[in-house]
């Protein structure tokens, strides 16, 4: 498989994953673009990997975890997708407020916990693959997910009271 074939087949999925990590479609595009440049520069190493897509997902995750050491969170307003106009529903204000609240809670999670949640519930990966992507033990993945869910539950309970 060539780099171009890989990019054509996996770019959309990588972009969706990046949007879930960052919470911002423009920032996700920047993240994917920077990662794909690195993929192209290291294409021989990527193709030698047992699972090139997983290798690239790990590169993207590491890039996200290291990217500007958290300063982007203070500059980015997390917003719901998609940005284009949507046909008006009867009352979408409540759904939008709920979605914005979830984005807000996710944004406050530590990056590794957020990445673990996205890999588990959005990418539907098993613990072993998540551990490989994050470069940690399977038990650590379970712990991160458990802590992240506990934090989100606590936020939810606090918001309801």
């Amino acid at each position: 498989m060539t780099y171009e074939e890989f990019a054509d087949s996996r770019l959309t999925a990588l972009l969706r994953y990046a949007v879930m990590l960052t919470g911002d479609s423009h920032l996700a595009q920047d993240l994917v673009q920077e990662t794909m440049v690195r993929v192209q520069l290291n294409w021989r190493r990527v193709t030698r990997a047992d699972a090139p897509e997983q290798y690239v997902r790990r590169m993207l995750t590491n890039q996200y975890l290291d990217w500007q050491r958290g300063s982007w969170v203070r500059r980015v307003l997390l917003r719901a997708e998609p940005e284009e106009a949507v046909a008006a529903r009867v009352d979408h204000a409540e759904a939008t407020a709920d979605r914005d609240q979830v984005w807000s809670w996710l944004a406050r999670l530590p990056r590794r916990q957020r990445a673990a949640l996205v890999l588990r519930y959005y990418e539907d990966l098993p613990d072993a693959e998540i551990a490989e992507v994050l470069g940690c033990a399977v038990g650590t993945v379970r712990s991160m997910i458990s802590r992240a869910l506990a934090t989100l539950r606590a936020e939810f309970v606090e918001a309801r009271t």
Side-chain angles (χ1 to χ4, degrees), residues 11-155:
L11 197 59
T12 303
L14 290 171
L15 184 57
R16 282 193 311 261
Y17 173 58
V19 167
M20 293 304 296
L21 286 176
T22 63
D24 179 86
S25 62
H26 300 291
L27 190 60
Q29 289 171 1
D30 291 345
L31 179 63
V32 169
Q33 180 179 2
E34 191 166 327
T35 301
M36 291 306 286
V37 167
R38 291 174 185 216
V39 168
Q40 185 176 29
L41 294 173
N42 296 298
W43 183 243
R44 287 187 185 152
R45 187 180 325 156
V46 172
T47 57
R48 285 193 304 261
D50 293 334
E53 180 180 349
Q54 189 172 353
Y55 189 91
V56 171
R57 188 181 297 131
R58 182 173 184 173
M59 289 175 72
L60 191 141
T61 303
N62 288 338
Q63 185 69 22
Y64 162 73
L65 293 173
D66 292 337
W67 212 11
Q68 298 175 4
R69 295 289 177 199
S71 64
W72 68 272
V73 174
R74 292 185 294 273
R75 296 189 325 249
V76 174
L77 170 64
L78 297 177
R79 57 184 175 271
E81 281 290 316
E83 293 178 12
E84 61 230 19
V86 177
R89 297 184 221 165
V90 177
D91 181 16
H92 64 279
E94 186 174 331
T96 301
D98 290 345
R99 186 173 42 232
D100 288 345
Q101 184 64 55
V102 170
W103 275 116
S104 171
W105 292 338
L106 285 172
R108 289 193 295 251
L109 289 175
R111 287 176 168 218
R112 291 178 62 81
Q113 286 182 12
R114 182 174 177 168
L117 283 180
V118 170
L119 289 166
R120 164 66 62 73
Y121 295 107
Y122 187 74
E123 292 290 320
D124 200 28
L125 294 180
D127 291 342
E129 287 185 39
I130 295 170
E132 192 171 320
V133 169
L134 295 177
C136 62
V138 172
T140 304
V141 168
R142 291 180 183 147
S143 175
M144 282 190 289
I145 290 172
S146 176
R147 287 183 190 142
L149 290 175
T151 301
L152 292 175
R153 271 189 222 103
E155 295 280 351

